[in-house]
Amino acid sequence: MWSDLLTQRGVCLVLSAPSGAGKSTIAKALRAREAGLVNSVSVTTRPPRPGEQEGVDYFFRSAEQFADMAAAGEFAEWATVFDRCYGTPKALVEKALAGGYDMIFDIDWQGFQQLRAAMPQDVVGVFVLPPSLAALRQRLHGRGTDSAAVIEERMDKALAEISHWREFDHVLVNDALEDAIDQAHAILIAARSAVARQGGFAALGF
């Protein structure tokens, strides 16, 4: 088919949300649905957790190494979260997009703004809201891993993050998880057909 001759630049799908809203679960589900969806592997200064692998879960670097990479302009975006630094290697993103691969990002609103500034034609942002603040608090308590003080800290941070939802291209409410996954998937499919991401039509006479 003539469509097989077309080239297509990949898209960066960013999922942002306050902690506990479910963006990581949605991102995991999208990767399960789309075998060719490339996960963004971040550089971090936090130590590896049991079972995490270098280059698969994160690139683990010291604070000094991270600072050197940031100073050299090697990150498409980076931020400090709870005293740990996280950044996205720019070269890996560009290589994936140029090869026609879509990437999914699980980053905060600041990371989204930086990534969009660095690659304005390639980024589609989705903000994931919880059904309510009460539901978010309940989810955080349900984890059973954080103290009451930490949960309150996360709730304060959540309110600050939620205030930025209007800056994104799309917003969805994660009330029913499967519905939220379907909505995120539909956004990804629509983003692929954007005119700016298509190539080869002129050579085919269109």
Side-chain angles (χ1 to χ4, degrees), residues 16-17 44 84 89 107 113 162 171 181:
S16 291
T44 183
R84 301 294 188 183
I107 55 179
Q113 288 186 341
I162 288 172
V171 61
I181 294 169

Side-chain angles (χ1 to χ4, degrees), residues 123-172:
V123 179
V124 175
V126 182
F127 198 91
V128 181
L129 287 170
S132 67
L133 292 179
L136 180 61
R137 185 184 297 275
Q138 185 176 12
R139 289 178 184 178
L140 293 175
H141 276 288
R143 291 177 174 179
T145 57
D146 296 324
S147 66
V150 170
I151 289 174
E152 289 308 310
E153 182 181 356
R154 292 187 182 277
M155 285 299 299
D156 289 342
K157 189 172 185 295
L159 289 173
E161 291 178 349
I162 288 172
S163 69
H164 293 276
W165 70 267
R166 292 178 180 84
E167 299 164 18
F168 287 72
D169 304 296
H170 305 274
V171 61
L172 61 88

Side-chain angles (χ1 to χ4, degrees), residues 40-143:
S40 170
V41 180
S42 298
V43 178
T44 183
T45 59
R46 75 161 175 77
R49 293 170 181 163
E52 289 184 332
Q53 300 178 50
E54 168 72 14
V56 176
D57 300 287
Y58 288 96
F59 297 105
F60 298 98
R61 299 292 183 268
S62 68
E64 293 76 15
Q65 289 173 320
F66 191 98
D68 288 343
M69 293 176 72
E74 295 182 26
F75 294 129
E77 62 82 26
W78 70 274
T80 301
V81 182
F82 297 114
D83 300 323
R84 301 294 188 183
C85 295
Y86 298 83
T88 301
K90 187 186 301 181
L92 295 182
V93 176
E94 180 55 40
K95 181 179 180 180
L97 298 187
Y101 293 98
D102 299 322
M103 297 191 73
I104 189 164
F105 294 77
D106 176 356
I107 55 179
D108 66 9
W109 66 271
Q110 292 169 306
F112 165 68
Q113 288 186 341
Q114 291 180 43
L115 191 63
R116 167 154 285 176
M119 314 180 83
Q121 301 300 318
D122 297 316
V123 179
V124 175
V126 182
F127 198 91
V128 181
L129 287 170
S132 67
L133 292 179
L136 180 61
R137 185 184 297 275
Q138 185 176 12
R139 289 178 184 178
L140 293 175
H141 276 288
R143 291 177 174 179

Side-chain angles (χ1 to χ4, degrees), residues 15 22-34 104 181:
L15 298 180
K23 68 180 183 299
S24 296
T25 302
I26 294 172
K28 182 178 179 180
L30 290 180
R31 289 194 296 271
R33 288 189 182 187
E34 295 275 349
I104 189 164
I181 294 169

